[in-house]
PDB file of all heavy atoms in Angstrom:
ATOM      1  N   GLY V 591      73.890  57.725 118.287  1.00 86.00           N
ATOM      2  CA  GLY V 591      74.165  56.849 119.417  1.00 86.00           C
ATOM      3  C   GLY V 591      73.224  55.667 119.453  1.00 86.00           C
ATOM      4  O   GLY V 591      72.227  55.604 118.747  1.00 86.00           O
ATOM      5  N   GLY V 592      73.585  54.708 120.266  1.00 89.00           N
ATOM      6  CA  GLY V 592      72.768  53.510 120.385  1.00 89.00           C
ATOM      7  C   GLY V 592      73.518  52.420 121.116  1.00 89.00           C
ATOM      8  O   GLY V 592      74.430  52.691 121.904  1.00 89.00           O
ATOM      9  N   VAL V 593      73.123  51.172 120.858  1.00 90.00           N
ATOM     10  CA  VAL V 593      73.730  50.019 121.531  1.00 90.00           C
ATOM     11  C   VAL V 593      74.299  49.088 120.464  1.00 90.00           C
ATOM     12  O   VAL V 593      73.593  48.689 119.535  1.00 90.00           O
ATOM     13  CB  VAL V 593      72.693  49.265 122.393  1.00 90.00           C
ATOM     14  CG1 VAL V 593      73.352  48.047 123.037  1.00 90.00           C
ATOM     15  CG2 VAL V 593      72.124  50.187 123.460  1.00 90.00           C
ATOM     16  N   LEU V 594      75.571  48.766 120.600  1.00 90.00           N
ATOM     17  CA  LEU V 594      76.246  47.804 119.723  1.00 90.00           C
ATOM     18  C   LEU V 594      76.466  46.526 120.521  1.00 90.00           C
ATOM     19  O   LEU V 594      77.141  46.537 121.551  1.00 90.00           O
ATOM     20  CB  LEU V 594      77.581  48.373 119.236  1.00 90.00           C
ATOM     21  CG  LEU V 594      78.469  47.415 118.426  1.00 90.00           C
ATOM     22  CD1 LEU V 594      77.788  47.008 117.135  1.00 90.00           C
ATOM     23  CD2 LEU V 594      79.827  48.043 118.132  1.00 90.00           C
ATOM     24  N   THR V 595      75.893  45.428 120.048  1.00 92.00           N
ATOM     25  CA  THR V 595      75.984  44.147 120.757  1.00 92.00           C
ATOM     26  C   THR V 595      76.832  43.186 119.943  1.00 92.00           C
ATOM     27  O   THR V 595      76.571  42.960 118.763  1.00 92.00           O
ATOM     28  CB  THR V 595      74.587  43.554 120.974  1.00 92.00           C
ATOM     29  OG1 THR V 595      73.779  44.500 121.676  1.00 92.00           O
ATOM     30  CG2 THR V 595      74.675  42.271 121.779  1.00 92.00           C
ATOM     31  N   LEU V 596      77.871  42.640 120.597  1.00 92.00           N
ATOM     32  CA  LEU V 596      78.757  41.649 119.981  1.00 92.00           C
ATOM     33  C   LEU V 596      78.610  40.360 120.769  1.00 92.00           C
ATOM     34  O   LEU V 596      78.899  40.332 121.964  1.00 92.00           O
ATOM     35  CB  LEU V 596      80.216  42.138 120.005  1.00 92.00           C
ATOM     36  CG  LEU V 596      80.469  43.516 119.359  1.00 92.00           C
ATOM     37  CD1 LEU V 596      81.893  43.951 119.603  1.00 92.00           C
ATOM     38  CD2 LEU V 596      80.186  43.471 117.864  1.00 92.00           C
ATOM     39  N   ARG V 597      78.136  39.306 120.132  1.00 93.00           N
ATOM     40  CA  ARG V 597      77.926  38.052 120.836  1.00 93.00           C
ATOM     41  C   ARG V 597      78.438  36.893 119.991  1.00 93.00           C
ATOM     42  O   ARG V 597      78.467  36.974 118.750  1.00 93.00           O
ATOM     43  CB  ARG V 597      76.445  37.846 121.176  1.00 93.00           C
ATOM     44  CG  ARG V 597      75.515  37.707 120.021  1.00 93.00           C
ATOM     45  CD  ARG V 597      74.100  37.325 120.502  1.00 93.00           C
ATOM     46  NE  ARG V 597      73.482  38.393 121.244  1.00 93.00           N
ATOM     47  CZ  ARG V 597      72.750  39.345 120.688  1.00 93.00           C
ATOM     48  NH1 ARG V 597      72.560  39.355 119.365  1.00 93.00           N
ATOM     49  NH2 ARG V 597      72.190  40.288 121.405  1.00 93.00           N
ATOM     50  N   ASP V 598      78.881  35.850 120.636  1.00 93.00           N
ATOM     51  CA  ASP V 598      79.273  34.618 119.947  1.00 93.00           C
ATOM     52  C   ASP V 598      78.824  33.436 120.787  1.00 93.00           C
ATOM     53  O   ASP V 598      78.820  33.508 122.025  1.00 93.00           O
ATOM     54  CB  ASP V 598      80.786  34.584 119.707  1.00 93.00           C
ATOM     55  CG  ASP V 598      81.579  34.777 120.985  1.00 93.00           C
ATOM     56  OD1 ASP V 598      81.730  33.813 121.746  1.00 93.00           O
ATOM     57  OD2 ASP V 598      82.056  35.907 121.233  1.00 93.00           O
ATOM     58  N   PHE V 599      78.450  32.350 120.107  1.00 93.00           N
ATOM     59  CA  PHE V 599      77.967  31.163 120.807  1.00 93.00           C
ATOM     60  C   PHE V 599      78.115  29.960 119.880  1.00 93.00           C
ATOM     61  O   PHE V 599      78.239  30.097 118.654  1.00 93.00           O
ATOM     62  CB  PHE V 599      76.502  31.335 121.239  1.00 93.00           C
ATOM     63  CG  PHE V 599      75.585  31.778 120.140  1.00 93.00           C
ATOM     64  CD1 PHE V 599      74.962  30.868 119.292  1.00 93.00           C
ATOM     65  CD2 PHE V 599      75.351  33.144 119.928  1.00 93.00           C
ATOM     66  CE1 PHE V 599      74.115  31.278 118.297  1.00 93.00           C
ATOM     67  CE2 PHE V 599      74.504  33.567 118.908  1.00 93.00           C
ATOM     68  CZ  PHE V 599      73.887  32.627 118.094  1.00 93.00           C
ATOM     69  N   ASP V 600      78.116  28.784 120.499  1.00 90.00           N
ATOM     70  CA  ASP V 600      78.241  27.551 119.730  1.00 90.00           C
ATOM     71  C   ASP V 600      76.935  27.269 118.997  1.00 90.00           C
ATOM     72  O   ASP V 600      75.845  27.620 119.468  1.00 90.00           O
ATOM     73  CB  ASP V 600      78.572  26.380 120.668  1.00 90.00           C
ATOM     74  CG  ASP V 600      79.924  26.571 121.356  1.00 90.00           C
ATOM     75  OD1 ASP V 600      80.757  27.303 120.800  1.00 90.00           O
ATOM     76  OD2 ASP V 600      80.114  25.990 122.447  1.00 90.00           O
ATOM     77  N   CYS V 601      77.049  26.625 117.835  1.00 91.00           N
ATOM     78  CA  CYS V 601      75.864  26.292 117.064  1.00 91.00           C
ATOM     79  C   CYS V 601      76.116  25.004 116.294  1.00 91.00           C
ATOM     80  O   CYS V 601      77.219  24.449 116.317  1.00 91.00           O
ATOM     81  CB  CYS V 601      75.493  27.434 116.110  1.00 91.00           C
ATOM     82  SG  CYS V 601      76.708  27.699 114.810  1.00 91.00           S
ATOM     83  N   SER V 602      75.096  24.551 115.630  1.00 88.00           N
ATOM     84  CA  SER V 602      75.203  23.348 114.815  1.00 88.00           C
ATOM     85  C   SER V 602      74.356  23.559 113.571  1.00 88.00           C
ATOM     86  O   SER V 602      73.207  23.971 113.667  1.00 88.00           O
ATOM     87  CB  SER V 602      74.714  22.122 115.592  1.00 88.00           C
ATOM     88  OG  SER V 602      74.776  20.960 114.791  1.00 88.00           O
ATOM     89  N   GLU V 603      74.950  23.295 112.400  1.00 84.00           N
ATOM     90  CA  GLU V 603      74.257  23.511 111.141  1.00 84.00           C
ATOM     91  C   GLU V 603      74.396  22.266 110.280  1.00 84.00           C
ATOM     92  O   GLU V 603      75.511  21.866 109.930  1.00 84.00           O
ATOM     93  CB  GLU V 603      74.845  24.730 110.426  1.00 84.00           C
ATOM     94  CG  GLU V 603      73.785  25.494 109.644  1.00 84.00           C
ATOM     95  CD  GLU V 603      74.335  26.789 109.067  1.00 84.00           C
ATOM     96  OE1 GLU V 603      75.260  26.707 108.254  1.00 84.00           O
ATOM     97  OE2 GLU V 603      73.848  27.859 109.451  1.00 84.00           O
ATOM     98  N   GLU V 604      73.244  21.657 109.985  1.00 82.00           N
ATOM     99  CA  GLU V 604      73.212  20.416 109.219  1.00 82.00           C
ATOM    100  C   GLU V 604      74.067  19.329 109.878  1.00 82.00           C
ATOM    101  O   GLU V 604      74.795  18.592 109.219  1.00 82.00           O
ATOM    102  CB  GLU V 604      73.691  20.660 107.784  1.00 82.00           C
ATOM    103  CG  GLU V 604      72.802  21.630 107.008  1.00 82.00           C
ATOM    104  CD  GLU V 604      73.287  21.851 105.595  1.00 82.00           C
ATOM    105  OE1 GLU V 604      74.369  21.311 105.270  1.00 82.00           O
ATOM    106  OE2 GLU V 604      72.591  22.543 104.821  1.00 82.00           O
ATOM    107  N   GLY V 605      74.000  19.271 111.198  1.00 82.00           N
ATOM    108  CA  GLY V 605      74.720  18.252 111.945  1.00 82.00           C
ATOM    109  C   GLY V 605      76.196  18.529 112.122  1.00 82.00           C
ATOM    110  O   GLY V 605      76.925  17.718 112.710  1.00 82.00           O
ATOM    111  N   ARG V 606      76.669  19.691 111.664  1.00 89.00           N
ATOM    112  CA  ARG V 606      78.094  20.016 111.749  1.00 89.00           C
ATOM    113  C   ARG V 606      78.279  21.095 112.807  1.00 89.00           C
ATOM    114  O   ARG V 606      77.658  22.151 112.726  1.00 89.00           O
ATOM    115  CB  ARG V 606      78.600  20.508 110.398  1.00 89.00           C
ATOM    116  CG  ARG V 606      80.096  20.806 110.387  1.00 89.00           C
ATOM    117  CD  ARG V 606      80.505  21.288 108.995  1.00 89.00           C
ATOM    118  NE  ARG V 606      81.917  21.616 108.957  1.00 89.00           N
ATOM    119  CZ  ARG V 606      82.553  22.145 107.917  1.00 89.00           C
ATOM    120  NH1 ARG V 606      81.849  22.389 106.809  1.00 89.00           N
ATOM    121  NH2 ARG V 606      83.837  22.412 107.948  1.00 89.00           N
ATOM    122  N   PRO V 607      79.164  20.880 113.796  1.00 92.00           N
ATOM    123  CA  PRO V 607      79.363  21.895 114.841  1.00 92.00           C
ATOM    124  C   PRO V 607      80.026  23.137 114.271  1.00 92.00           C
ATOM    125  O   PRO V 607      80.866  23.054 113.368  1.00 92.00           O
ATOM    126  CB  PRO V 607      80.254  21.186 115.866  1.00 92.00           C
ATOM    127  CG  PRO V 607      80.949  20.116 115.095  1.00 92.00           C
ATOM    128  CD  PRO V 607      79.998  19.679 114.034  1.00 92.00           C
ATOM    129  N   GLY V 608      79.640  24.268 114.813  1.00 91.00           N
ATOM    130  CA  GLY V 608      80.216  25.516 114.353  1.00 91.00           C
ATOM    131  C   GLY V 608      80.093  26.595 115.411  1.00 91.00           C
ATOM    132  O   GLY V 608      79.718  26.342 116.558  1.00 91.00           O
ATOM    133  N   VAL V 609      80.428  27.822 114.998  1.00 93.00           N
ATOM    134  CA  VAL V 609      80.396  28.981 115.892  1.00 93.00           C
ATOM    135  C   VAL V 609      79.649  30.103 115.166  1.00 93.00           C
ATOM    136  O   VAL V 609      79.874  30.330 113.973  1.00 93.00           O
ATOM    137  CB  VAL V 609      81.811  29.440 116.285  1.00 93.00           C
ATOM    138  CG1 VAL V 609      81.737  30.715 117.117  1.00 93.00           C
ATOM    139  CG2 VAL V 609      82.534  28.356 117.046  1.00 93.00           C
ATOM    140  N   THR V 610      78.758  30.779 115.897  1.00 93.00           N
ATOM    141  CA  THR V 610      78.026  31.928 115.364  1.00 93.00           C
ATOM    142  C   THR V 610      78.526  33.204 116.026  1.00 93.00           C
ATOM    143  O   THR V 610      78.665  33.268 117.255  1.00 93.00           O
ATOM    144  CB  THR V 610      76.517  31.787 115.614  1.00 93.00           C
ATOM    145  OG1 THR V 610      76.043  30.647 114.910  1.00 93.00           O
ATOM    146  CG2 THR V 610      75.760  33.020 115.132  1.00 93.00           C
ATOM    147  N   ILE V 611      78.831  34.209 115.188  1.00 93.00           N
ATOM    148  CA  ILE V 611      79.244  35.532 115.676  1.00 93.00           C
ATOM    149  C   ILE V 611      78.214  36.535 115.152  1.00 93.00           C
ATOM    150  O   ILE V 611      77.942  36.583 113.953  1.00 93.00           O
ATOM    151  CB  ILE V 611      80.657  35.910 115.186  1.00 93.00           C
ATOM    152  CG1 ILE V 611      81.673  34.830 115.579  1.00 93.00           C
ATOM    153  CG2 ILE V 611      81.063  37.271 115.755  1.00 93.00           C
ATOM    154  CD1 ILE V 611      83.044  35.054 114.988  1.00 93.00           C
ATOM    155  N   GLU V 612      77.631  37.331 116.067  1.00 92.00           N
ATOM    156  CA  GLU V 612      76.614  38.303 115.678  1.00 92.00           C
ATOM    157  C   GLU V 612      77.074  39.711 116.009  1.00 92.00           C
ATOM    158  O   GLU V 612      77.644  39.961 117.077  1.00 92.00           O
ATOM    159  CB  GLU V 612      75.287  38.028 116.393  1.00 92.00           C
ATOM    160  CG  GLU V 612      74.602  36.757 115.922  1.00 92.00           C
ATOM    161  CD  GLU V 612      73.256  36.565 116.603  1.00 92.00           C
ATOM    162  OE1 GLU V 612      72.970  37.305 117.558  1.00 92.00           O
ATOM    163  OE2 GLU V 612      72.504  35.668 116.171  1.00 92.00           O
ATOM    164  N   VAL V 613      76.821  40.640 115.054  1.00 92.00           N
ATOM    165  CA  VAL V 613      77.078  42.072 115.249  1.00 92.00           C
ATOM    166  C   VAL V 613      75.726  42.766 115.091  1.00 92.00           C
ATOM    167  O   VAL V 613      75.178  42.825 113.992  1.00 92.00           O
ATOM    168  CB  VAL V 613      78.101  42.609 114.228  1.00 92.00           C
ATOM    169  CG1 VAL V 613      78.305  44.103 114.455  1.00 92.00           C
ATOM    170  CG2 VAL V 613      79.416  41.852 114.338  1.00 92.00           C
ATOM    171  N   GLU V 614      75.195  43.258 116.201  1.00 92.00           N
ATOM    172  CA  GLU V 614      73.836  43.810 116.217  1.00 92.00           C
ATOM    173  C   GLU V 614      73.872  45.276 116.602  1.00 92.00           C
ATOM    174  O   GLU V 614      74.581  45.666 117.537  1.00 92.00           O
ATOM    175  CB  GLU V 614      72.973  43.035 117.213  1.00 92.00           C
ATOM    176  CG  GLU V 614      71.553  43.550 117.319  1.00 92.00           C
ATOM    177  CD  GLU V 614      70.752  42.801 118.374  1.00 92.00           C
ATOM    178  OE1 GLU V 614      71.171  41.681 118.745  1.00 92.00           O
ATOM    179  OE2 GLU V 614      69.732  43.344 118.814  1.00 92.00           O
TER     180      GLU V 614
END
Side-chain angles (χ1 to χ4, degrees):
V593 178
L594 174 63
T595 304
L596 305 173
R597 64 173 68 89
D598 55 80
F599 51 87
D600 297 336
C601 66
S602 178
E603 214 173 62
E604 298 180 355
R606 183 180 178 185
V609 175
T610 297
I611 305 173
E612 291 183 350
V613 179
E614 179 183 341

